[in-house]
């Protein structure tokens, strides 16, 4: 099993299928040959949704003739940026390694994410069963950027959860070595030429919401929370195709722009976010650049406070 200190640091960006070719031919990627893989992924949970309630994802991935077992905890961050624990190791076949699961910290005796105790979760591991699939083609590029090593992947495929399906069309920038600040500058540089939008929804959380046909949004009071709520509302709109979520996105963006604690220059930037989304909720260039810039500045403010 890999990763003694298993921290995954990444920025997730969604894009319309019409923008895929523009991304592949971005100057950063156009002269590089990507690694292309087909990934078949099965996620597991109990009948009472213990993993989803604890915001833990348990996954088997089939890729290149191998089977990998992965466990991820909930991401911390917002505006597309997240940091989370991740464990991944090879298994002999497409069946869960129960012994390996039970040995992981998320299933020990301490509470996790204000959810059920890890010990209770460990006792529920034998009840895990397949609940959703994510099958997609992955294009991956290894980039040296500002002294850091970053893996850029483009995933194109589908989430299948119960009777429901929704497209996968997203970019992930994962820090392999170096400074997390490099992720922000690379994301902004990409968004300056390709219409991208930050996404705060993992593939597992998207599948869980799709199966339940419920997309709960967090309450918000601070600027960072309103930005996070807007990002999740837009994710929900694209997966549900329910117009009220697009309205909630615009409402959250307005509350962000009008927030009393937001510096005046950031208010001026945020004021244009709603108009940078088209009628189908797809981002124009200004949306991704502005939202990533604001997210980065808010994240720096939190680090300094």
């Amino acid at each position: 099993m890999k990763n003694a200190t298993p921290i995954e640091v990444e920025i997730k960006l969604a894009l319309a299928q019409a923008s895929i070719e523009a991304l592949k031919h971005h100057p950063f990627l156009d002269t590089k040959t990507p690694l292309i893989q087909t990934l078949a992924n099965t996620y597991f949970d109990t009948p009472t949704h213990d993993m989803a309630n604890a915001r833990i994802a348990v996954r088997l991935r089939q890729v290149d003739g191998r089977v990998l077992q992965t466990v991820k905890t909930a991401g911390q961050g917002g505006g597309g940026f997240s940091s989370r624990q991740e464990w991944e190791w090879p298994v002999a076949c497409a069946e869960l390694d129960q012994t390996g699961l039970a040995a992981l910290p998320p299933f020990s005796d301490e509470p996790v994410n204000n959810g059920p105790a890890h010990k209770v979760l460990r006792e529920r591991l034998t009840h895990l069963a397949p609940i959703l699939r994510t099958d997609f083609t992955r294009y991956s590029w290894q980039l040296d950027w500002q002294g850091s090593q970053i893996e850029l992947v483009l995933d194109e495929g589908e989430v299948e959860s119960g009777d429901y399906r929704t497209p996968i069309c997203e970019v992930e920038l994962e820090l392999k070595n170096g400074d997390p600040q490099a992720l922000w500058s690379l994301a902004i540089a990409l968004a300056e030429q390709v219409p991208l939008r930050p996404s705060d929804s993992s593939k597992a959380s998207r599948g869980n919401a799709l199966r339940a046909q419920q997309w709960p949004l967090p309450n918000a009071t601070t600027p960072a929370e309103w930005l996070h709520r807007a990002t999740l509302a837009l994710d929900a709109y694209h997966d549900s195709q329910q117009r009220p979520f697009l309205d909630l996105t615009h409402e959250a963006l307005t509350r962000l722009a009008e927030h009393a604690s937001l510096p005046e220059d950031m208010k001026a930037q945020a004021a244009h976010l709603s108009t940078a989304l088209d009628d189908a909720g797809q981002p124009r260039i200004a949306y991704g650049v502005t939202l990533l810039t604001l997210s980065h500045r808010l994240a720096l403010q939190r680090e300094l406070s």
Side-chain angles (χ1 to χ4, degrees):
M1 193 180 304
K2 76 170 188 177
N3 294 351
T5 306
I7 302 297
E8 176 189 63
V9 180
E10 69 175 20
I11 287 180
K12 184 188 293 287
L13 305 163
L15 69 164
Q17 289 185 327
S19 298
I20 288 176
E21 289 306 310
L23 178 71
K24 289 180 179 178
H25 292 95
H26 190 284
F28 297 164
L29 307 179
D30 197 29
T31 60
K32 299 178 181 292
T33 301
L35 173 65
I36 304 175
Q37 298 169 296
T38 299
L39 281 64
N41 309 277
T42 304
Y43 290 80
F44 294 78
D45 206 341
T46 67
T48 50
H49 315 303
D50 294 287
M51 299 300 119
N53 292 337
R55 301 181 66 199
I56 294 173
V58 177
R59 181 187 74 201
L60 285 180
R61 165 170 289 172
Q62 298 183 56
V63 56
D64 297 336
R66 299 176 298 151
V67 182
L68 302 174
Q69 182 162 304
T70 308
V71 174
K72 294 188 180 189
T73 60
Q76 304 297 316
F81 181 87
S82 68
S83 174
R84 76 187 78 221
Q85 291 184 305
E86 177 187 32
W87 296 265
E88 184 172 85
W89 66 102
V91 293
C93 61
E95 294 183 3
L96 288 176
D97 169 13
Q98 291 282 347
T99 301
L101 282 176
L104 294 178
F107 307 114
S108 65
D109 294 336
E110 299 299 326
V112 58
N113 296 327
N114 298 318
H118 293 195
K119 182 177 179 181
V120 174
L121 288 177
R122 186 174 63 213
E123 292 170 351
R124 300 293 294 164
L125 292 177
T126 56
H127 298 274
L128 290 171
I131 55 160
L132 64 96
R133 293 185 59 82
T134 63
D135 297 326
F136 51 88
T137 300
R138 167 164 287 181
Y139 303 82
S140 42
W141 295 263
Q142 306 302 319
L143 304 179
D144 292 319
W145 177 259
Q146 297 180 347
S148 296
Q149 286 72 54
I150 297 172
E151 181 179 51
L152 185 157
V153 304
L154 166 65
D155 291 339
E156 185 181 5
E158 186 176 63
V159 178
E160 178 183 342
S161 188
D163 295 329
Y164 303 99
R165 289 171 170 78
T166 193
I168 295 171
C169 193
E170 64 186 29
V171 173
E172 293 177 357
L173 306 177
E174 182 176 349
L175 185 68
K176 294 300 184 180
N177 186 44
D179 186 350
Q181 300 303 320
L183 290 176
W184 290 105
S185 62
L186 178 57
I188 292 170
L190 291 169
E192 286 172 344
Q193 296 195 39
V194 181
L196 298 166
R197 62 177 179 86
S199 171
D200 285 340
S201 302
S202 68
K203 295 180 181 71
S205 66
R206 291 176 65 193
N208 289 331
L210 199 65
R211 183 186 67 251
Q213 289 291 285
Q214 295 180 356
W215 288 265
L217 299 178
N219 294 326
T221 54
T222 68
E225 290 170 346
W226 281 113
L227 190 151
H228 180 51
R229 180 179 167 90
T231 303
L232 286 175
L234 192 54
D235 288 342
Y237 169 68
H238 283 287
D239 281 349
S240 70
Q241 291 299 299
Q242 296 176 15
R243 188 75 186 186
F245 284 114
L246 186 54
D247 296 335
L248 288 169
T249 302
H250 287 293
E251 178 191 12
L253 293 174
T254 299
R255 296 291 293 273
L256 168 65
E258 296 175 348
H259 202 282
S261 69
L262 200 66
E264 289 302 319
D265 64 324
M266 295 174 73
K267 285 183 180 180
Q269 289 179 303
H272 300 291
L273 282 169
S274 279
T275 59
L277 287 172
D278 68 19
D279 291 340
Q282 293 292 354
R284 299 183 174 94
I285 290 292
Y287 186 83
V289 173
T290 301
L291 199 64
L292 284 165
T293 301
L294 291 172
S295 298
H296 187 203
R297 288 187 59 183
L298 291 171
L300 288 174
Q301 285 184 355
R302 290 196 299 271
E303 291 177 7
L304 295 172
S305 63

